[in-house]
Each structure stands twice: as structure tokens, then as C-alpha cells.
Amino acid sequence: MASRERDLERLIPVPPKQIQESISTNGGSNSSASAAPSAIISHSSGKEAFSKLIRSWAWKKFITGSVILLPIAITFCVTWWFIRFVDSFFSPIYALLGINVFGLGFVTSLTFIFLVGVFMSSWLGASVLSLGEWFINKMPFVSYIYSASKQISAAISSDQKSNAFKEVAIIRHPRNGEYAFGFITSTVLLRGNLGTEELCCVYVPTNHLYLGDIYLVSSKDVMRPNLSVREGIEIVISGGMSIPEIITTLEEAQVNDAARLGKYGVPQV
């Protein structure tokens, strides 16, 4: 038996001791090697989540800063353009005189506009304006431009006697449950077989203020909110962003005032 075992050892060589130790070492490290990739993956995923959080926070702060600075930048640019535009009317005259002071033309322009307003408010100024409008109305193309510009300027004027927007109106349009914001420009009497009905000419802007549609609506169907014409124009120009949270019609406001006065009034004897 002993000789047979020696023959088998000669046929099947046994590896040296160092090789066995290396094999046992590699076999033990397989478990640690399999655990290493999971640790690397978890570390990379945590790092990626942290970077996403930082990017999201930075983007939100950037948008917040843009929202705050954009209106300020637009206001500054428009104001600066307006000052330079108005200043350009009289600044060339001062440049010819050798006076180069920025803003002097702007102040002169404002003073000139004020003096024109004072002069046109007088009887002589009104006569000169009527004569100038008579000449302009004789011009074929210029008369249309002047008429449209005059109506727009009259609409934002504080003088309610002029041909301007009289009141702010809310009408049901285009279907029940939907309302349109507009301005009452005039009233019309519609005569028919059933009698006479008073209609309000309501101008509904469709493109800011200078373009819109005209609707003839019965006076009973027109809701008049407690808004001035200037506030209505601001609502239209801002795209509805300056509209108040609660709008009360004039009829409801009058009823509330009457109820309040009746509550604190002295009863009749």
C-alpha cells in the first residue's frame, strides 16, 4: 500500500506550500473583492445625489435672482431710454450754444410740455388747436393717424368730458360663465318694434390697449366694477397681473353703503 501511494504522488504532483498558501489567500480575498464594488457603487451614488442637490439649489437661487432683477433692469432701461429720448429734443440746441450738460434737455422738454398744457387750457390755445386740427383733418393719410392717436391719448386722460373711456365694464363674453374686461365708450338707443332699448358700447381690448373689439350690450347686462379707468388700463397693460383679488360692482357697493347707513342712522319718528 505504501508503494502504491508513492506511485500516485509521483503521477499527480502536489503544489508547493507557497502555492497552496497563495491559493488559500486568493480564495479568502474573493469575498472581500466582491464586497468592494458594492462600496464603490454606494459611494458614487451618494456623490451624484449630493451634486444634483447642489445644482438644484443653485438653479433655484439663480431663478430667484433673475425674477427680482429682471423688472428692475427693464424699468431702468425704459426710464433711461425715455430720458435720453426726451433729452434729445433740446440737447442739440444746447450743443450748438456750447452747453453740454446731461439732463438739461430733459428738464427743458418737461418745462415745454407744461407750458403747452397751460397755453392750450386757455381760450387762445383752444382756438389755435382747433385751427391746427382743421388743417390736419384735410390731409388724407395724416388725419387717420392723428385721430387714432388723439383717441388713445383721450382714453388715458383725466378729463372725462372728452371722447374717452367712460367706465370700466365687465360683460359676459363669449359664453355663459366667461367674462370679458372692457371699457364703456358711449351709449346708444336702439329703437325697434318692441320699443327702445339702451345699449352700452363696450370696447374690449384684444392686443394690450390699441386694438380690440366693440360690443353693443344692454345696459342691464353690463357689470360696473368699483375700478377707475386708470386702474382698468393698468390691468389691461399688465395682462391682468395688477387686478385686485376681490372686485365689487357699484350696485353691490351702493347697497352695502345704504345698509351701513341704515344700521347707524337715526330712526324716523
Side-chain angles (χ1 to χ4, degrees):
M1 293 292 295
S3 62
R4 185 179 298 177
E5 290 179 357
R6 291 193 193 94
D7 295 337
L8 289 175
E9 288 179 359
R10 292 174 182 175
L11 292 174
I12 303 174
V14 179
K17 186 177 181 180
Q18 295 179 355
I19 297 176
Q20 292 180 357
E21 290 178 355
S22 64
I23 292 173
S24 61
T25 304
N26 292 332
S29 64
N30 286 334
S31 59
S32 61
S34 61
S38 60
I40 295 173
I41 292 172
S42 61
H43 178 72
S44 61
S45 61
K47 185 177 180 181
E48 185 177 357
F50 180 75
S51 62
K52 287 183 179 180
L53 180 62
I54 294 297
R55 288 197 299 266
S56 177
W57 178 83
W59 177 251
K60 289 181 180 179
K61 298 304 178 182
F62 179 79
I63 294 297
T64 303
S66 300
V67 170
I68 294 174
L69 293 178
L70 183 61
I72 299 175
I74 293 175
T75 303
F76 177 78
C77 292
V78 172
T79 305
W80 181 255
W81 172 83
F82 177 76
I83 292 174
R84 291 180 62 89
F85 176 74
V86 177
D87 184 76
S88 62
F89 288 105
F90 288 94
S91 57
I93 299 176
Y94 289 111
L96 293 176
L97 297 176
I99 303 174
N100 295 321
V101 179
F102 179 77
L104 186 60
F106 177 76
V107 176
T108 307
S109 300
L110 295 183
T111 306
F112 177 75
I113 294 173
F114 173 75
L115 294 177
V116 169
V118 172
F119 176 72
M120 291 301 173
S121 300
S122 62
W123 176 82
L124 181 60
S127 301
V128 173
L129 180 62
S130 300
L131 182 61
E133 288 182 347
W134 182 81
F135 279 109
I136 292 175
N137 290 329
K138 296 298 180 180
M139 302 178 183
F141 181 71
V142 179
S143 61
Y144 295 107
I145 301 176
Y146 178 76
S147 177
S149 303
K150 184 179 179 181
Q151 290 178 4
I152 294 175
S153 62
I156 62 177
S157 176
S158 59
D159 186 10
Q160 296 298 324
K161 297 181 180 179
S162 60
N163 187 16
F165 296 156
K166 306 299 181 183
E167 295 178 84
V168 180
I170 297 176
I171 61 174
R172 290 181 175 87
H173 175 76
R175 60 181 66 89
N176 291 331
E178 296 184 8
Y179 300 89
F181 194 86
F183 302 92
I184 298 177
T185 57
S186 60
T187 56
V188 181
L189 293 177
L190 180 63
R191 295 179 179 178
N193 296 329
L194 301 178
T196 303
E197 183 180 5
E198 183 182 19
L199 302 177
C200 292
C201 185
V202 180
Y203 174 76
V204 178
T206 56
N207 186 0
H208 285 94
L209 193 63
Y210 51 88
L211 291 178
D213 299 325
I214 299 174
Y215 299 95
L216 295 176
V217 186
S218 177
S219 300
K220 301 177 182 178
D221 298 332
V222 176
M223 292 177 286
R224 295 172 171 84
N226 57 341
L227 298 173
S228 63
V229 174
R230 190 175 300 276
E231 290 174 342
I233 293 174
E234 291 178 357
I235 292 172
V236 173
I237 294 177
S238 65
M241 291 185 291
S242 62
I243 192 170
E245 295 182 357
I246 300 176
I247 298 178
T248 307
T249 58
L250 296 179
E251 293 81 2
E252 185 177 355
Q254 292 174 358
V255 171
N256 294 333
D257 293 339
R260 192 181 299 108
L261 292 175
K263 181 179 180 180
Y264 297 100
V266 180
Q268 297 181 358
V269 180

